[in-house]
Amino acid sequence: MRRIYFDHSATTPVRPEVAEAMCGYLKDNYGNPTSLHYFGRQVRKGVEEAREKVAGAIGASPNEIVFTSGGTESDNMAIHGVAYSNKNKGNHIITSAVEHHAVLNTVKALGKEGFTVTILPVDKYGMVSVEDVSAAMTDKTILITIMHANNEVGTIMPIREIGKLAHSRGVIFHTDAVQSFGKIPVEVNDLGVDLLTISGHKIYGPKGIGALYIRKGTRWRQTLLHGGAQERLRRAGTENVPGIIALGEAARLAVANLANDNEYLRGLRDRLIREVTARIGHVKLTGHPALRLPNHASFTFEFIEGESMLLSLDMKGVAASSGSACTSGSLEPSHVLLAMGIPHEVAHGSIRLTLGVDNKPEDVGYFMEIMPPIVERLRAMSPLDQETEFTTNSDCTICKVSGTCSRV
Ligand SMILES: *Cc1c(COP(=O)(O)O)cnc(C)c1O
């Protein structure tokens, strides 16, 4: 069957050049970079070259880059490290309601440990307002953590302005750039950030590798892992060498290809948005219409459940994702869509199509062949147009469509 992958915000395939680069470090260059002998030295050299590539890709210097196990660890490490080492200055942390859970749950956990947390609202496009950030700041504020681009609706936040504001008040600023890096320019001095998170598997690298940028002079300390002196005492544990090599190459390629990829993806995305909204009724684009990631199309379809669309698309070979959460056992829709003021019943009909460099124009054509009949069929059988409220899982549309909801 024809298979089309429209879920690049969840993860991406590894670029062949990246797989090739890491392969040598799985087979031949297996030394421990801490070892002083030849095997160790060879690998150390590869790791430091990768660090230079990652640093170069975001306009940082190599000693400001710490390799981690991915975006989640980088976010935890950034937030914990700043919170604990600035306790004497204050205990207030500012974030937004639409952050990835790696940020939101970390900040909430600190809220239970004596830190005060402000979770800023967003507008109908999922955008944080700079004025709200400014108004939330107090003389106890030690950290602002706001994502560069949102993973569910693609909205790009006013990071540069927030960075200026943070610095004018002497507050440390972290951004999660997992979704933006490789798709739009990400340059630490231009953005004015002190800490920045990236992840390998969102930029055509492997899973389980990421990096945290920590600006020189930032008051931050390692808090999560006790162990060896790797990464200049900032991250204990033997380095994930093949992952690091791969991240270096993926970051280099992401920046080298950025202009081309951006234009190509934007073309596909715009066509997808145009055709979906023109050819299917009761559909709305979610997220900002212009200030959005070049590969990101997300919608709500009224009177349908997102997961039933996903299952129908999957049966036709198209991989997409949804912000509706029947899979997690709760019928609570995405926290991002709810924060944008989208009503529960509409948020349930959300779908996200995120494009990648491996997608072809024909993929959009195929999608537009199969989607309108899927929507028509689901709407015909939907209980939602009679305004039925979901209360239990047995009322779930997935159960009705597939006869089971085994994942609940
Ligand atoms: C995927 C993602 C993460 C988590 O990164 P992992 O490497 O999967 O841990 C964090 N933030 C955002 C915005 C993401 O999209």
Side-chain angles (χ1 to χ4, degrees):
M1 183 174 43
R2 184 169 181 167
R3 291 274 173 201
I4 294 175
Y5 189 73
F6 277 168
D7 202 11
H8 292 81
S9 289
T11 196
T12 55
V14 176
R15 287 196 210 254
E17 306 93 305
V18 171
E20 185 64 31
M22 77 187 286
C23 220
Y25 286 81
L26 290 165
K27 292 191 292 202
D28 306 320
N29 278 324
Y30 54 78
N32 185 323
T34 311
S35 303
L36 294 177
H37 49 60
Y38 171 80
F39 294 87
R41 287 198 312 273
Q42 285 301 99
V43 170
R44 166 61 52 202
K45 195 161 150 278
V47 166
E48 294 316 318
E49 281 168 11
R51 199 185 308 279
E52 281 167 27
K53 290 183 194 172
V54 171
I58 58 171
S61 48
N63 56 18
E64 294 174 312
I65 302 298
V66 182
F67 292 115
T68 69
S69 68
T72 300
E73 185 185 332
S74 294
D75 285 341
N76 273 262
M77 199 161 130
I79 294 165
H80 265 262
V82 170
Y84 283 112
S85 51
N86 291 274
K87 260 182 175 167
N88 61 333
K89 286 179 70 186
N91 68 344
H92 182 223
I93 300 171
I94 299 173
T95 189
S96 85
V98 297
E99 297 299 310
H100 189 276
H101 284 120
V103 165
L104 208 49
N105 289 343
T106 304
V107 171
K108 284 182 181 169
L110 288 173
K112 295 197 179 114
E113 292 180 29
F115 289 90
T116 311
V117 175
T118 301
I119 299 176
L120 295 173
V122 293
D123 68 10
K124 63 178 175 177
Y125 299 126
M127 188 80 80
V128 168
S129 108
V130 182
E131 291 72 40
D132 285 351
V133 179
S134 176
M137 286 165 84
T138 71
D139 51 5
K140 293 267 177 275
T141 308
I142 51 173
L143 172 67
I144 299 172
T145 173
I146 291 178
M147 68 200 323
H148 191 188
N150 185 271
N151 46 305
E152 288 191 36
V153 297
T155 299
I156 300 168
M157 303 288 190
I159 293 305
R160 217 174 270 106
E161 290 71 19
I162 298 170
K164 279 204 191 99
L165 184 65
H167 286 162
S168 73
R169 307 270 297 263
V171 174
I172 297 174
F173 181 33
H174 165 251
T175 195
D176 176 334
V178 169
Q179 290 294 339
S180 58
F181 179 59
K183 301 192 193 98
I184 57 174
V186 170
E187 211 274 332
V188 292
N189 291 324
D190 172 47
L191 294 177
V193 295
D194 301 303
L195 301 103
L196 181 139
T197 294
I198 65 170
S199 170
H201 74 103
K202 306 289 176 78
I203 58 162
Y204 306 97
K207 295 157 187 66
I209 186 71
L212 178 64
Y213 158 78
I214 309 171
R215 183 181 293 278
K216 190 169 184 285
T218 302
R219 187 131 48 124
W220 174 91
R221 72 179 156 82
Q222 193 288 121
T223 53
L224 297 176
L225 292 173
H226 300 283
Q230 288 90 353
E231 295 294 282
R232 302 159 101 237
L233 289 168
R234 293 172 298 183
R235 205 277 188 176
T238 300
E239 296 86 340
N240 171 3
V241 174
I244 289 171
I245 300 297
L247 183 65
E249 192 57 8
R252 186 185 72 76
L253 288 167
V255 172
N257 296 329
L258 190 122
N260 274 339
D261 290 353
N262 183 307
E263 190 184 312
Y264 177 69
L265 293 169
R266 194 179 287 270
L268 291 185
R269 176 202 68 183
D270 288 348
R271 181 176 153 210
L272 193 55
I273 293 176
R274 200 169 51 240
E275 296 193 10
V276 166
T277 50
R279 291 179 46 194
I280 303 173
H282 303 284
V283 175
K284 281 206 181 74
L285 181 72
T286 55
H288 200 283
L291 300 171
R292 67 184 299 128
L293 292 171
N295 70 324
H296 198 293
S298 52
F299 308 94
T300 53
F301 289 72
E302 274 188 86
F303 320 121
I304 322 184
E305 221 260 320
E307 298 241 343
S308 50
M309 278 187 279
L310 287 195
L311 292 177
S312 302
L313 284 169
D314 189 47
M315 281 190 262
K316 295 278 186 190
V318 174
S321 68
S322 162
S324 107
C326 196
T327 42
S328 65
S330 86
L331 292 172
E332 201 51 19
S334 143
H335 69 290
V336 174
L337 300 177
L338 295 181
M340 290 160 61
I342 296 175
H344 268 247
E345 64 278 13
V346 178
H348 271 296
S350 73
I351 199 151
R352 177 184 77 177
L353 306 164
T354 45
L355 308 167
V357 293
D358 48 314
N359 288 134
K360 308 229 156 26
E362 305 88 87
D363 297 347
V364 176
Y366 177 71
F367 179 82
M368 289 315 303
E369 267 171 46
I370 63 164
M371 192 59 179
I374 288 176
V375 171
E376 198 175 327
R377 181 173 57 82
L378 292 175
R379 279 189 180 150
M381 66 198 295
S382 169
L384 289 176
D385 54 0
Q386 285 122 46
E387 297 195 357
T388 309
E389 279 284 310
F390 283 155
T391 48
T392 66
N393 287 351
S394 60
D395 284 340
C396 166
T397 312
I398 299 186
C399 308
K400 295 199 167 132
V401 172
S402 62
T404 168
C405 204
S406 57
R407 292 180 299 162
V408 170

